[in-house]
Amino acid sequence: MAKGLQGFSWTMLLLFCTIQELGAWAMHTAVEGPGLGQPEDPALLAGGRVKRGWVWNQFFVVEEYTGTEPLYVGKIHSDSDEGDGSIKYTISGEGAGTIFLIDEITGDIHATERLDREQKTFYTLRAQARDRQTDQLLEPESEFIIKVQDINDSEPRFLEGPYIGSVAELSPIGTSVMQVMASDADDPTYGSSARVVYSVLEGEQHFTVDSKTGVIRTAVADLDRETQDRYEVVIRATDMAGQLGGLSGSTTVTIVITDVNDNPPRFPQKMYQFSIVETAPVGTAIGRVKAEDSDVGENTDMTYQVKDEEGVEMFKVTTDSDTQEAVITIQKPLDYESKKVHTVVVEALNKFVDPRFVDLGTFRDQTIVRVSVLDIDEPPEFRPPSNMMEVQEDAHVGSVVGVVTALDPDAANHPVRYAIDRSTDAERIFDIDANTGAIVTGKVLDRETAGWHNITVLAMEADNHLQVSRASLRIRILDVNDNPPELATPYEAAVCEDAKPGQLIHTISVVDRDEPQSGHRFYFTLAPEATNNHHFSLLDIKDNTAAVHTQRMGFNRQEQDLYLLPILVVDSGPPALSSTGTLTIRICGCDSDGAIQSCNSTAYIVSATLSPGALIALLVCILILVVLVLLILTLKRHHKSHLTAEDDEDMRDNVIKYNDEGGGEQDTEAYDMSALRSLYDFSEIKGGDGGGGPGEGVPSGNTASELHALPQWVQSPDLEFSVFRDYICRKVEQADEDLSVPPYDSFQTYAFEGSDSTVPSLSSINTWSSGSEQDFSYLGGWGPRFRQLAALYAGRRGEDDSEES
């Protein structure tokens, strides 16, 4: 093969390609000049530039190939290939070497695996031509595509099921119900494998489906929910545009027929009869009737009404929203003596009427209700049934509020007596005349305390108190202007030191416990004592509020940080009442934006941030904490005094001696100083020494024996015990003055081995006494460790015996 730049083309040969696929091939011509077209190997440019022609195509391979041999895909070839095998063809990229193999000599490409277009539609590879001996790239690497050709191997599927649609009954033909969509995994751009058409398999008598869009529509106009309220329609989707051999899938669509108000209400009976006693109170239910309706939902909602004039006056009909029944109640008291039977015409009609079906007939129905009144011995009746009275709050005790009247409705017409149910007037604010029914005031009234009083008046037959009737009476206390207006709150305001004239400081409103019928009207002005005020002004806004403004330029809180502005408030009477309230104004320091930074009074900050209720709660909490602290301190002091008493009882001076060999169980146990003083009387020893002889000044033999019990170095005639006594006293004084140590002294001595040792004392102190009768022969039985000690004491024992002899 000639070296240098040689022109050749990759020829993409396809098997099983169609005319349509051949028409889709594109032509690409490389341009001359550096930097254009595909990158070239520098070695190929040595012999000069050669114009090359390229043919770009796609390889096609049919999916789902089931043959036993590798499927031939195509061939790549170089114009410089002379057929001598000197050129080696290779491919790289997606599937190269696994799915696709190439013959290095011929350039034939085969597919070794079964391909599925629904998983991968195409593969991108790169072709190379190299010199077989030098492995030098003869041409730039070229990219090509192997496209998987689709076959109709996927049936249409309804992926959004189950489908549930609805359509109103009596809808016209062609009314849209819903749309179904089927998807086909085949290639929609190739052939008709993915072209789906729809058809109805079941339910075609009532519904149709658009073959292209899948829209389901009604096929008849007489769908009646009362006859059948749902349909199951089977829709089929077929690919290949419905041609023979196409694949298909189906789904079931549930179509619910919704209700329309096409049925009028109807009473099952044309007449109903009820009875009720004449003493039944107003509002008592006589009975219930119901009109039937074949519709459902809100189309069965009923409205009932009384049609005849007599019934409208005596009875009332309401609708039970839960059961859609007509509830007939008494609207006026019944009287057997006046009328024994009442006839009521009740009409039922649909609450929601569809105008489209008005021509089907009237959507209302009527029935007759006969009400029989039963006679009974009745209690007195209040006539007229007035239930409200009024009285001025300044009325004197005994003033007449009003009169109630009751009569016996029976023919006997018994006399009536009156009383007030004291459970409704426990404070006896009102009284009633038992014979006339006149209600009078029993106490002084105050509208501000109670503006309304609800009492119950009893009326009973004079000779039968069991026949009693009750009437609720509301007594309204009319207002009298007897309370002056007051400021709504203890107003406090803050103003910056650099405030300008006319600046709004605060808006004042007032409250008045009175409630005049014409409404409140308040007037604001500065109190007379503030007439000389040149710092602030008050403006009555005429809406029962007033505004406080600054009247001067700037303030100095160093000179005065608090201003009290008295404000006079007057109501409209009559008579006109007034009161004076004070606005507290504090002068504060502010930043450049006018925000308050600090004020001299901390009380203002607290009052501005905490409401009176919060302040009271805070003070209660502080009081509780103080009580708890005092209680804890008291308990601690009591506990400390108790411990101090116990310590005082156990206080003792402890001295531990160091002149024995130790080893006892209690050689460090504390004991009373009296034991030490009884063993060593320092004053007597010192007095004996001062006497000049061992026998002078010794009151008894106990002292001599105690002296013999001390170690030998203690028996020096020149020993001065006052030195030790003085030292101990100094230490005691130092301990007493030191507040950080317990209230007792501890001086340890090891001259006493303890009183609870189970082993006899081995101290040699006792051997100084000539009268010792101790026998240490038992030491020989203690083992080899005590052998030397036994020999020592045994030798000492022999010497003592010889001296005594």
Side-chain angles (χ1 to χ4, degrees), residues 208-224:
T208 61
V209 63
D210 189 288
S211 61
K212 295 182 180 180
T213 63
V215 176
I216 302 174
R217 303 180 183 274
T218 57
V220 295
D222 58 351
L223 293 176
D224 187 10

Side-chain angles (χ1 to χ4, degrees), residues 338-598:
S338 300
K339 191 170 185 178
K340 299 177 177 59
V341 178
H342 296 270
T343 302
V344 184
V345 178
V346 178
E347 183 181 63
L349 62 156
N350 280 134
K351 190 174 181 180
F352 305 102
V353 179
D354 195 332
R356 296 177 299 172
F357 308 107
V358 174
D359 56 348
L360 297 179
T362 177
F363 280 81
R364 61 183 62 200
D365 194 18
Q366 293 182 351
T367 188
I368 298 175
V369 179
R370 292 175 58 88
V371 181
S372 299
V373 181
L374 304 179
D375 187 27
I376 196 172
D377 186 11
E378 302 172 74
E381 294 180 353
F382 287 92
R383 298 180 182 179
S386 176
N387 62 351
M388 192 186 79
M389 297 180 181
E390 295 180 345
V391 61
Q392 293 280 350
E393 68 173 321
D394 59 349
H396 298 290
V397 175
S399 299
V400 177
V401 179
V403 179
V404 294
T405 303
L407 299 175
D408 186 2
D410 297 324
N413 194 16
H414 295 96
V416 178
R417 298 292 179 264
Y418 302 94
I420 294 178
D421 186 354
R422 289 304 174 186
S423 63
T424 61
D425 185 23
E427 299 180 1
R428 295 183 175 270
I429 299 176
F430 301 96
D431 292 322
I432 188 170
D433 189 293
N435 297 319
T436 64
I439 299 176
V440 298
T441 58
K443 290 185 177 181
V444 176
L445 303 177
D446 185 12
R447 189 206 64 82
E448 285 71 36
T449 303
W452 286 86
H453 294 274
N454 298 322
I455 65 174
T456 300
V457 179
L458 308 178
M460 63 198 77
E461 293 181 2
D463 55 351
N464 185 9
H465 288 183
L466 296 179
Q467 293 297 330
V468 60
S469 59
R470 299 170 177 267
S472 296
L473 183 62
R474 303 180 66 210
I475 301 177
R476 179 183 180 185
I477 311 301
L478 300 179
D479 183 57
V480 174
N481 190 30
D482 56 349
N483 293 280
E486 298 176 350
L487 294 184
T489 60
Y491 285 106
E492 291 194 11
V495 63
C496 297
E497 288 185 293
D498 56 352
K500 297 178 175 55
Q503 180 176 330
L504 177 64
I505 299 177
H506 210 291
T507 301
I508 304 298
S509 61
V510 299
V511 293
D512 195 329
R513 298 179 62 190
D514 296 320
E515 290 184 1
Q517 295 182 357
S518 59
H520 286 291
R521 177 66 181 97
F522 302 111
Y523 304 93
F524 300 84
T525 183
L526 293 179
E529 56 268 27
T531 54
N532 295 327
N533 167 64
H534 301 293
H535 305 292
F536 306 98
S537 62
L538 181 68
L539 175 63
D540 192 341
I541 307 179
K542 307 299 183 182
D543 61 350
N544 291 339
T545 61
V548 179
H549 298 82
T550 57
Q551 200 174 1
R552 54 169 286 184
M553 173 69 75
F555 296 87
N556 188 348
R557 60 174 173 168
Q558 302 298 331
E559 297 178 357
Q560 184 174 355
D561 64 343
L562 181 67
Y563 292 88
L564 300 178
L565 186 65
I567 300 175
L568 178 66
V569 184
V570 184
D571 62 15
S572 56
L577 301 178
S578 64
S579 68
T580 301
T582 301
L583 171 63
T584 303
I585 303 175
R586 302 184 184 277
I587 309 303
C588 304
C590 304
D591 58 12
S592 57
D593 296 329
I596 295 177
Q597 297 295 320
S598 63

Side-chain angles (χ1 to χ4, degrees), residues 654-680 709-711 747-766:
N654 301 324
V655 178
I656 306 300
K657 297 196 303 182
Y658 291 84
N659 56 353
D660 71 335
E661 73 278 11
E665 287 78 4
Q666 294 183 351
D667 57 345
T668 60
E669 183 180 1
Y671 55 88
D672 198 335
M673 277 294 294
S674 60
L676 182 63
R677 295 191 181 97
S678 64
L679 291 177
Y680 310 105
L710 291 173
F747 180 80
Q748 296 182 343
T749 178
Y750 295 88
F752 180 65
E753 63 182 351
S755 60
D756 293 338
S757 176
T758 57
V759 180
S761 177
L762 298 180
S763 176
S764 60
I765 298 177
N766 291 333

Side-chain angles (χ1 to χ4, degrees), residues 618-634:
L618 180 60
L619 293 177
V620 171
C621 293
I622 294 174
L623 181 60
I624 292 174
L625 290 176
V626 171
V627 172
L628 289 177
V629 170
L630 293 177
L631 181 60
I632 293 172
L633 292 177
T634 303

